[in-house]
Amino acid sequence: MSFAADESQDVDQQVSKPASPRWYAVQVASGCEKRVKTNLEQRIQTMDVADRILKVQIPQTPTVKIRKDGSRQHGEEKVFPGYVLVQMVMDDEAWQVVKNTPNVINFVGAEQQRRYGRGRGHVKPVPLSYGEVERIFKQTEEQEPIVKVDMAVGDKIMVLSGPFKEFEGEVIEVSPERSKLKALLSIFGRDTPVELEFNQIEKTS
C-alpha cells in the first residue's frame, strides 16, 4: 500500500470520527429548572437521541436553614438559578430536542460560524470550556453546606428566654455557623450588645 493511500485512509478516519460531547448552558424560565430537566429527559428517550444528549444537570450545593426555634432544615440551593447544563453532541436534531422543550428559553452564547435550526437564523451555541465545567462540578462536590438563617441585621427581635426574657432589641450581627446573633437591648436605659442563641429569640418585624 502506498503512502498516499495510507494518508487518504487516515483522513477518512478523521472525517468519520464522531464529535465529542460537550457541556452547554441552557437558559430556562425562572423556577422551572426541575421541570425542564424532567421533560427533557423524557423527550430524549421518546425522540431517540440518547446517543447525543447524554446528561441533564442542575448544579446544586447543600444548605442548612436554621429556623427561629433553632431546628435545622437540610436542603439544596441552585448554583445558577434559571439555567440547566446539558452534555450533548451538538447537531441539528439534538439542538431541536433541547430548544423545543417547554420552558426552555435558549442556549447561552452563540457564534456565527455554523447555523442550526433549519435556516431559521439560529446560530451554533458555544460549549462551556473544560475548565469552567471542572470548576462548576468541583464546587458542587466539595462545597460545605451553606448555613442560612431567617434573621438579618436590622431585624427587630424579642427575647423569649434567659436573663433578658421579654427584652426587645435590634439585630446587629448574625453568626449562622455558631447559631448565635448579637442584638442591641435597652438595659438600664442604654443600648447594650448582647449575644443570644437563635432559639432564645423571636423576630417581631
Side-chain angles (χ1 to χ4, degrees), residues 99-120:
K99 184 67 176 64
N100 292 329
T101 299
N103 297 302
V104 164
I105 297 173
N106 207 349
F107 283 87
V108 175
E111 61 185 356
Q112 297 293 337
Q113 295 178 357
R114 184 178 174 188
R115 293 182 177 275
Y116 284 93
R118 298 193 178 97
R120 299 179 188 176

Side-chain angles (χ1 to χ4, degrees), residues 63-65 72-76 145:
T63 61
V64 177
K65 184 176 181 180
R72 293 176 172 238
Q73 178 183 4
H74 293 267
E76 290 184 317

Side-chain angles (χ1 to χ4, degrees), residues 70-101:
S71 63
R72 293 176 172 238
Q73 178 183 4
H74 293 267
E76 290 184 317
E77 182 177 84
K78 300 177 186 69
V79 178
F80 305 109
Y83 297 89
V84 299
L85 302 185
V86 181
Q87 186 187 39
M88 61 188 291
V89 176
M90 182 62 68
D91 65 13
D92 184 75
E93 185 178 10
W95 181 92
Q96 291 281 351
V97 171
V98 176
K99 184 67 176 64
N100 292 329
T101 299

Side-chain angles (χ1 to χ4, degrees), residues 104-163:
V104 164
I105 297 173
N106 207 349
F107 283 87
V108 175
E111 61 185 356
Q112 297 293 337
Q113 295 178 357
R114 184 178 174 188
R115 293 182 177 275
Y116 284 93
R118 298 193 178 97
R120 299 179 188 176
H122 297 291
V123 293
K124 178 184 177 183
V126 177
L128 299 173
S129 70
Y130 292 107
E132 194 170 16
V133 172
E134 182 180 5
R135 177 181 60 78
I136 290 170
F137 287 108
K138 186 175 181 181
Q139 177 183 351
T140 59
E141 291 170 3
E142 299 181 355
Q143 178 75 45
E144 290 294 323
I146 299 171
V147 180
K148 296 192 167 190
V149 292
D150 190 23
M151 291 286 167
V153 173
D155 284 345
K156 305 296 183 182
I157 56 107
M158 174 177 285
V159 183
L160 303 176
S161 63

Side-chain angles (χ1 to χ4, degrees), residues 24-72:
Y24 295 83
V26 178
Q27 185 180 9
V28 304
S30 178
C32 294
E33 297 88 353
K34 290 184 179 179
R35 192 180 310 167
V36 167
K37 183 177 187 295
T38 300
N39 288 342
L40 180 52
E41 287 173 342
Q42 291 174 348
R43 285 169 57 80
I44 289 168
Q45 299 304 319
T46 302
M47 305 187 78
D48 195 24
V49 290
D51 60 328
R52 281 161 287 168
I53 304 178
L54 309 180
K55 293 180 182 178
V56 184
Q57 297 278 8
I58 304 172
Q60 299 183 108
T61 55
T63 61
V64 177
K65 184 176 181 180
I66 301 177
R67 297 171 174 168
K68 288 185 287 187
D69 62 2
S71 63
R72 293 176 172 238

Side-chain angles (χ1 to χ4, degrees), residues 68 158-163 195-202:
K68 288 185 287 187
M158 174 177 285
V159 183
L160 303 176
S161 63
E195 188 171 73
L196 301 162
E197 303 277 351
F198 287 151
N199 57 5
Q200 285 184 278
I201 58 95
E202 177 181 66

